């Protein structure tokens, strides 16, 4: 099977109104993207799928729609002002700046120690030079990724605020309120989907690394004394996935296939709830169409861990044009955030359960929405007879049904409109009368439309139409009166 390239995917996304660089008439603006009519529907369907799976289908998780700009003290307490950084190197000659980790990665140099001392050592030992002009590179410098703004009528030091770089802190600062909704019982979770902003040194690889993007995130609060007691664990323990522990990475070993249950029993995860949320995450990703063969779980090395985490696992997807890359992280944040916000705010951020004062620990699954969509588009991209088909699962397809009159003549168009009006109340449908029927099929395949309904000469005689299937190009003849029922049967696979 032909492997998709990033250029091909970018071309498709722009050509078919899915995703494109913002402000193109002014030359674009790096790291920021606009979503077209097809992309908007696809994005909405994926976000809705996530919300149904993790919030609406459960009774232990509550939603939040939090502010993008919060009190600046939030980010001091969380540690982001001090520690939310990348290591930057600058060319001493042309002054081009690079994210050190990515610069080395592009040269095929894999790091196991991400400290600035080791980065500088590798650069000097490998004689890494500026890719732009060949100049000498500076020592690694801290670069804070938060985007600053000003709030109020005067731009001053006191007016500085931050565009949130993650959604998590909005959930932590509202913990006290949400513990009331949870009837003062553990465990419970808070879920949020929203925009975040990071001043990336070098945004790249289309929507994989942006400066404005969306995160779907859960902060799941557990009683630390019950960390090994997860009543839902049986739902995920038999999921089999490639897991790459930090020990395997240090020893130069390849990832090993194992079940979530076996991995937990062998001490891979910090606790049972951590293992559960890794498994539940894989379950959703697989449900939306990402094959288990293209997913793996990688544990962070000690030098990679964020300041708030005692253990983090990335769920990585294999992109043919990027290799294995993170699309979700699941961190054990313990009680770090609640303790820090209690210290900085003076509020009592704990729960009293059965007379015992408890500061919950937190397991945090966090998905990059753009990265999940990029993985889905990659997985769905198929070439058949030199034509592109997006084999998106039916539930996520931007449109479910396309209606096409064979000829651009009034009797065909009139009947096509009747069929379209019939279907649009039950399925996301569109009517396309532009171009040849072959071109209309091709356009629909490229945006992932599962079913095409063609009105032809026979339709005008006996009220039957053809249903064309996106993935196989096969066609069946159906009476218009049975059309809705037949499509529903095909959706259900019956």
């Amino acid at each position: 099977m032909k492997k998709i390239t990033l250029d091909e995917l970018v071309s498709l996304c722009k050509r078919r109104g899915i995703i494109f660089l913002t402000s193109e008439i002014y030359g674009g603006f790096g790291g920021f993207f606009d979503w077209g009519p097809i992309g908007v529907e696809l994005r909405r369907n994926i976000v809705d799928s996530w919300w149904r799976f993790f919030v609406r289908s459960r009774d232990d998780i509550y939603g939040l729609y939090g502010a993008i700009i919060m009190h600046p003290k939030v980010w001091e307490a969380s540690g982001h002002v001090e520690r939310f950084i990348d290591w930057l190197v600058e060319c001493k000659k042309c002054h081009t700046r690079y994210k050190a980790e990515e610069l080395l990665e592009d040269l095929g140099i894999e790091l196991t120690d991400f400290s600035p001392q080791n980065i500088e050592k590798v650069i000097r030992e490998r004689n890494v030079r500026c890719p732009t002009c060949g100049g000498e590179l500076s020592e690694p410098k801290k670069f804070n990724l938060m985007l600053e703004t000003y709030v109020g009528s005067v731009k001053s030091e006191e007016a500085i605020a931050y565009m949130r770089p993650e959604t998590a802190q909005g959930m932590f600062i509202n913990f006290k309120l949400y513990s009331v909704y949870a009837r003062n019982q553990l465990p419970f979770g808070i879920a949020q989907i929203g925009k975040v902003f990071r001043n990336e040194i070098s945004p790249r690889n289309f929507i994989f690394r942006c400066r404005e993007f969306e995160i779907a995130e859960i902060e799941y609060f557990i009683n630390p004394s019950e960390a090994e007691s997860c009543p839902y664990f049986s739902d995920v323990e038999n999921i089999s996935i490639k897991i790459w522990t930090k020990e395997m990475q240090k020893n130069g070993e390849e990832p090993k296939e194992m079940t979530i249950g076996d991995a937990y029993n062998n001490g891979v995860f910090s606790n049972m709830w951590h293992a559960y949320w890794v498994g539940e995450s894989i379950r959703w990703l697989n449900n939306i169409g990402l094959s288990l063969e293209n997913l793996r779980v990688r544990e962070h090395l000690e030098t990679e861990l964020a300041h708030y985490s005692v253990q983090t696992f990335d769920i990585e997807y294999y992109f043919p044009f990027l290799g294995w890359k993170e699309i979700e992280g699941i961190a054990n944040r313990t009680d770090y955030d609640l303790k820090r916000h209690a210290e900085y705010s003076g509020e009592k951020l704990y729960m009293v359960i059965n007379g015992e004062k408890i500061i919950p620990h937190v397991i945090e699954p966090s998905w990059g929405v753009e990265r999940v969509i990029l993985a889905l588009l990659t997985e769905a991209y198929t070439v058949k007879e030199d034509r592109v088909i997006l084999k998106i699962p039916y539930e996520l397809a931007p449109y479910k049904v396309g209606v096409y009159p064979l000829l651009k003549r009034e009797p065909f168009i009139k009947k096509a409109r009747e069929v379209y009006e019939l279907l649009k109340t039950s399925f996301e449908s569109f009517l396309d009368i532009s171009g040849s029927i072959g071109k209309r099929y091709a356009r629909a395949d490229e945006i992932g439309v599962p079913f095409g309904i063609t009105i032809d000469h026979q339709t005008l005689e006996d009220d039957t139409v053809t249903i064309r299937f996106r993935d196989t190009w096969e066609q069946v003849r159906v009476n218009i009166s049975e059309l809705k029922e037949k499509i529903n049967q095909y959706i259900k696979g019956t």
Side-chain angles (χ1 to χ4, degrees):
M1 182 183 292
K2 178 182 181 291
K3 288 186 177 180
I4 180 179
T5 67
L6 183 57
D7 286 344
E8 287 171 331
L9 190 55
V10 171
S11 174
L12 172 69
C13 286
K14 183 176 181 180
R15 184 171 71 249
R16 292 300 172 218
I18 303 174
I19 315 160
F20 34 85
L21 191 65
T22 192
S23 311
E24 279 202 338
I25 64 171
Y26 292 102
F29 200 44
F32 299 91
F33 292 87
D34 293 333
W35 294 69
I38 303 304
V40 166
E41 298 298 331
L42 176 63
R43 185 187 191 103
R44 183 183 297 276
N45 290 343
I46 290 174
V47 165
D48 286 349
S49 169
W50 187 91
W51 197 261
R52 284 194 304 271
F53 190 93
F54 291 106
V55 183
R56 288 184 186 153
S57 66
R58 305 175 64 111
D59 57 10
D60 60 342
I61 294 183
Y62 309 92
L64 172 69
Y65 186 70
I68 287 175
I69 297 177
M70 293 176 274
H71 196 292
K73 283 284 185 184
V74 170
W75 305 110
E76 291 181 32
S78 69
H80 282 75
V81 171
E82 179 185 357
R83 299 180 181 179
F84 193 61
I85 62 166
D86 272 339
W87 293 106
L88 173 152
V89 291
E90 182 176 350
C91 176
K92 295 180 179 180
K93 184 178 178 182
C94 70
H95 302 292
T96 302
R97 292 180 162 193
Y98 304 95
K99 182 177 177 179
E101 178 186 339
E102 289 181 348
L103 174 62
L104 295 174
E105 186 180 276
D106 289 345
L107 296 173
I109 302 171
E110 295 290 337
L111 294 178
T112 55
D113 178 353
F114 294 84
S115 66
Q117 296 81 7
N118 186 60
I119 290 172
E120 183 169 20
K121 178 185 174 185
V122 171
I123 287 174
R124 302 303 171 221
E125 287 180 351
R126 299 290 190 96
N127 192 30
V128 177
R129 313 288 288 187
C130 170
T132 303
C133 73
E136 184 184 354
L137 297 172
S138 71
E139 72 283 356
K141 303 174 185 176
K142 280 186 178 181
F143 180 80
N144 195 293
L145 297 172
M146 286 199 294
L147 277 170
E148 291 185 359
T149 187
Y150 293 92
V151 174
S153 58
V154 179
K155 290 185 177 181
S156 65
E157 191 79 17
E158 293 72 28
I160 290 176
Y162 302 97
M163 308 288 281
R164 67 181 179 191
E166 63 173 28
T167 64
Q169 298 309 317
M171 294 182 262
F172 292 125
I173 63 174
N174 285 297
F175 165 77
K176 196 172 180 179
L177 176 63
Y178 275 76
S179 66
V180 176
Y181 287 116
R183 308 291 193 271
N184 201 43
Q185 295 295 315
L186 291 170
F188 74 90
I190 307 175
Q192 183 171 197
I193 301 175
K195 284 290 187 73
V196 297
F197 303 83
R198 296 182 184 178
N199 193 18
E200 293 286 351
I201 299 167
S202 53
R204 62 201 306 202
N205 296 324
F206 193 34
I207 58 171
F208 183 81
R209 190 175 300 283
C210 310
R211 289 179 168 130
E212 175 188 348
F213 56 100
E214 198 162 34
I215 284 180
E217 204 157 48
I218 297 169
E219 305 305 323
Y220 198 80
F221 299 90
I222 63 172
N223 188 331
S225 67
E226 299 174 355
E228 307 304 332
S229 177
C230 172
Y232 316 123
F233 192 64
S234 60
D235 294 344
V236 304
E237 63 180 334
N238 292 321
I239 293 173
S240 185
I241 194 76
K242 294 185 288 287
I243 297 180
W244 205 15
T245 67
K246 61 185 179 185
E247 286 78 15
M248 293 176 191
Q249 295 171 62
K250 290 175 185 175
N251 296 333
E253 300 173 27
E254 292 297 309
K256 293 180 182 176
E257 182 98 13
M258 61 184 89
T259 66
I260 296 295
D262 286 344
Y264 168 71
N265 291 329
N266 290 328
V268 170
F269 298 103
S270 62
N271 59 53
M272 184 179 278
W273 279 104
H274 203 171
Y276 165 74
W277 278 109
V278 170
E280 193 71 346
S281 300
I282 292 167
R283 209 156 67 92
W284 178 70
L285 290 169
N286 189 225
N287 281 356
I288 65 167
L290 302 186
S291 64
L292 294 179
E293 291 75 18
N294 287 331
L295 294 171
R296 75 178 184 188
V297 177
R298 186 184 74 84
E299 184 180 5
H300 278 206
L301 300 168
E302 291 88 348
T303 52
E304 292 179 272
L305 286 173
H307 58 275
Y308 50 75
S309 175
V310 296
Q311 189 184 38
T312 296
F313 291 89
D314 286 344
I315 295 182
E316 298 181 328
Y317 179 82
Y318 182 75
F319 295 94
F321 42 82
L322 294 176
W324 290 100
K325 293 292 181 182
E326 173 205 356
I327 59 174
E328 180 197 354
I330 305 101
N332 182 349
R333 298 180 77 123
T334 66
D335 55 8
Y336 172 86
D337 299 273
L338 291 181
K339 280 186 172 179
R340 292 276 292 190
H341 285 300
E343 176 189 346
Y344 276 71
S345 69
E347 288 287 338
K348 296 177 180 178
L349 299 181
Y350 58 79
M351 300 170 72
V352 178
I353 301 176
N354 298 325
E356 181 184 1
K357 185 174 79 172
I358 295 171
I359 301 177
H361 283 202
V362 174
I363 305 298
E364 177 197 66
S366 178
W367 294 257
V369 173
E370 278 77 4
R371 292 185 177 188
V372 170
I373 293 174
L374 185 63
L376 180 66
L377 290 171
T378 302
E379 185 94 23
Y381 190 101
T382 309
V383 177
K384 181 176 180 179
E385 296 179 12
D386 295 325
R387 283 167 56 174
V388 174
I389 307 174
L390 272 189
K391 293 187 177 182
I392 300 171
Y394 174 85
E395 295 79 8
L396 304 180
Y399 289 100
K400 318 306 186 197
V401 180
V403 180
Y404 320 114
L406 181 64
L407 300 175
K408 200 173 180 180
R409 296 178 188 168
E410 186 54 34
F412 296 90
I413 294 174
K414 181 181 178 182
K415 181 59 74 171
R417 290 191 186 281
E418 291 176 10
V419 173
Y420 167 65
E421 292 295 329
L422 171 72
L423 295 177
K424 74 176 185 179
T425 57
S426 301
F427 313 99
E428 292 91 345
S429 306
F430 68 94
L431 175 65
D432 189 354
I433 61 176
S434 175
S436 69
I437 192 67
K439 288 182 178 179
R440 281 177 273 169
Y441 287 158
R443 285 198 295 265
D445 287 346
E446 286 194 335
I447 60 172
V449 182
F451 305 107
I453 311 301
T454 305
I455 284 75
D456 56 20
H457 292 89
Q458 189 175 336
T459 307
L460 304 182
E461 297 173 4
D462 62 10
D463 250 15
T464 62
V465 296
T466 60
I467 302 178
R468 176 186 180 270
F469 301 97
R470 174 196 67 195
D471 295 348
T472 63
W473 295 353
E474 293 177 356
Q475 298 186 17
V476 296
R477 195 115 202 139
V478 175
N479 194 287
I480 291 174
S481 63
E482 301 175 339
L483 193 50
K484 281 188 180 181
E485 180 185 353
K486 287 294 184 183
I487 291 175
N488 276 319
Q489 288 176 356
Y490 289 127
I491 291 167
K492 296 172 184 176
T494 59

